[in-house]
């Protein structure tokens, strides 16, 4: 799934954006079983300079994947996301999380609350 261009009004991810994204992911995970969300990329390296939030979403089946895609398209902060989706089987076979040094989105969200980010 590719990215949607966002307005130039916002050039970095804000702390409250990360919180909203983590809340959205948590709500969706409660509705759709078997979802796992991970943050990776520049947002994890330079939290206060990240222009987007790179996510990996692991899903159990194609129905879950379709529901996630549809929900993401409707999410107000989707333009700030760069989302890669993989089945649990693809993750087991290719180790995307480990290769990209991804961390659980919930852990990343809590970490951003402890560092200074653009208000």
């Amino acid at each position: 799934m590719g990215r949607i261009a966002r307005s130039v009004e916002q050039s970095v991810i804000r702390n409250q954006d990360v919180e909203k994204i983590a809340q959205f992911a948590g709500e969706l995970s409660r509705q759709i079983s078997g979802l796992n969300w991970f943050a990776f990329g520049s947002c994890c390296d330079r939290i206060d300079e990240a222009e987007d939030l790179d996510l990996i979403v692991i899903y159990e089946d194609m129905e879950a994947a379709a529901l996630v895609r549809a929900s993401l398209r409707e999410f107000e902060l989707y333009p700030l996301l760069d989302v890669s989706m993989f089945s649990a089987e693809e993750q087991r076979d290719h180790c995307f999380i480990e290769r990209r040094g991804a961390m659980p989105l919930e852990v990343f969200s809590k970490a951003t609350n402890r560092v200074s980010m653009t208000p």
Side-chain angles (χ1 to χ4, degrees):
M1 176 181 314
R3 291 174 53 200
I4 298 173
R6 63 182 179 278
S7 72
V8 293
E9 296 172 15
Q10 183 176 336
S11 60
V12 294
I13 295 271
R14 297 173 304 198
N15 192 29
Q16 61 264 33
D17 296 334
V18 174
E19 286 183 43
K20 281 184 184 178
I21 293 164
Q23 289 171 355
F24 169 83
E27 290 171 16
L28 205 53
S29 293
R30 285 187 285 284
Q31 296 171 19
I32 305 169
S33 65
L35 295 181
N36 292 290
W37 300 75
F38 298 87
F40 72 100
S42 63
C43 62
C44 295
D45 298 331
R46 298 177 312 278
I47 294 172
D48 58 343
E49 298 176 10
E51 294 180 3
D52 65 1
L53 181 57
D54 299 306
L55 294 178
I56 293 175
V57 181
I58 306 298
Y59 58 87
E60 290 295 324
D61 57 49
M62 294 307 290
E63 183 179 340
L67 290 170
V68 170
R69 284 186 189 99
S71 297
L72 280 168
R73 285 187 197 109
E74 298 298 319
F75 181 46
E76 66 184 281
L77 295 178
Y78 182 61
L80 298 175
L81 303 177
D82 190 355
V83 181
S84 300
M85 295 182 59
F86 304 103
S87 69
E89 184 178 339
E90 289 172 318
Q91 166 54 27
R92 281 190 296 276
D93 292 345
H94 301 287
C95 303
F96 297 108
I97 295 165
E98 297 81 5
R99 288 188 8 226
R100 291 192 170 74
M103 70 173 74
L105 179 58
E106 185 176 327
V107 171
F108 174 73
S109 177
K110 289 177 183 175
T112 61
N113 287 324
R114 291 190 287 262
V115 297
S116 174
M117 293 187 72
T118 304

